[in-house]
Amino acid sequence: SYTYFNSIEKTFISDSIAVDVDTIRGAKIAYDYFASMTMGTRLYGTWKGKIGKLRALRHVASPQLSFTWRPDFSADKYGWYKEIATNSIGGKTTYSIFENGIYGSPGLGKTGMLAFSMANTVEGKIKSDTSDVLKKFTAIDQFNVSFGYNLLAKNFNWSNIILSGRTRIKKVVDINTQVSIDPYRIDSTGKRIERFEWRANNRLGRLENATLN
């Protein structure tokens, strides 16, 4: 929990179509909590044979399934979120009375997130040029896949699909990459809509961002 000694109150002024923000003095206690559980295992796959200098490969996959629950702290019983008009024809939006606080605000919207992730590593052995000794090498230090589904969300239940990887070249250069894929489509105005990319365009989703360093 955390204590704020100031909160805010917003008032919509219809004559000037503006919002007046007042600072309210007085201590208010806010808190955030959640419950979660996680289960996982480790799977091994091995190959032994002969392809050029390659003699063996080992794949280690570590799948993990987790569930996280958090209530909706914007509910009226908490008193931490309020509605305010945005125009004179009935438009409304929700704001937090702590939105200027250094600790942020308790979570908006309830969560029942079922998440899946899988970490992968690939190692191998190659024959030495000068002897029969096999040298161990790492092909992929880490390759991760993760996504989630919010059981309690009213819409856009699926999270982005995150792909990330790390490898090292000649034990000198580290390469890290991450890709975020949005499974939902956007309309002609660029607004996200609740339609899947795979149904319309036969692809997993839209590339939202990618990094390589």
Side-chain angles (χ1 to χ4, degrees):
S1 63
Y2 36 93
T3 302
Y4 285 120
F5 294 97
N6 295 316
S7 58
I8 64 169
E9 180 81 27
K10 293 184 178 182
T11 305
F12 177 69
I13 304 173
S14 57
D15 292 340
S16 57
I17 314 179
V19 175
D20 182 57
V21 181
D22 292 324
T23 299
I24 310 299
R25 307 293 180 184
K28 290 184 180 294
I29 297 176
Y31 54 85
D32 199 342
Y33 62 86
F34 65 92
S36 66
M37 62 179 182
T38 301
M39 62 181 68
T41 188
R42 185 168 290 183
L43 306 173
Y44 297 89
T46 59
W47 170 87
K48 293 183 179 180
K50 182 178 180 181
I51 301 177
K53 295 181 180 180
L54 184 63
R55 295 295 183 267
L57 286 174
R58 186 178 76 154
H59 174 210
V60 181
S62 303
Q64 181 171 283
L65 187 67
S66 64
F67 179 75
T68 302
W69 172 84
R70 189 193 68 194
D72 183 4
F73 292 108
S74 68
D76 292 341
K77 65 180 181 180
Y78 297 105
W80 299 331
Y81 285 84
K82 296 183 178 181
E83 276 194 345
I84 183 175
T86 56
N87 54 49
S88 57
I89 59 174
K92 292 184 178 181
T93 190
T94 300
Y95 74 94
S96 168
I97 64 173
F98 304 124
E99 66 181 27
N100 294 329
I102 60 174
Y103 302 111
S105 305
L108 174 64
K110 56 187 175 182
T111 296
M113 180 63 73
L114 185 65
F116 173 81
S117 65
M118 180 177 288
N120 301 271
T121 60
V122 178
E123 299 175 329
K125 292 182 179 181
I126 58 174
K127 183 179 180 300
S128 171
D129 291 330
T130 58
S131 68
D132 291 331
V133 177
L134 298 180
K135 292 183 178 180
K136 185 178 178 180
F137 72 96
T138 300
I140 300 175
D141 281 335
Q142 198 80 17
F143 176 70
N144 303 328
V145 181
S146 63
F147 57 88
Y149 184 85
N150 190 348
L151 299 170
L152 301 181
K154 293 181 179 179
N155 47 41
F156 298 106
N157 301 77
W158 289 99
S159 72
N160 280 13
I161 302 164
I162 306 298
L163 308 175
S164 61
R166 182 184 72 244
T167 191
R168 172 172 289 187
I169 299 177
K170 294 185 178 180
K171 299 183 179 181
V172 176
V173 180
D174 288 320
I175 298 177
N176 297 276
T177 184
Q178 179 168 299
V179 174
S180 178
I181 299 173
D182 188 343
Y184 293 101
R185 296 173 57 194
I186 56 175
D187 61 18
S188 58
T189 65
K191 181 181 179 181
R192 195 169 183 244
I193 59 175
E194 202 167 11
R195 298 289 186 274
F196 291 114
E197 276 285 335
W198 67 267
R199 287 183 176 175
N201 300 313
N202 296 317
R203 60 182 183 179
L204 187 62
R206 295 180 297 105
L207 179 63
E208 192 167 79
N209 59 66
T211 60
L212 177 65
N213 54 58

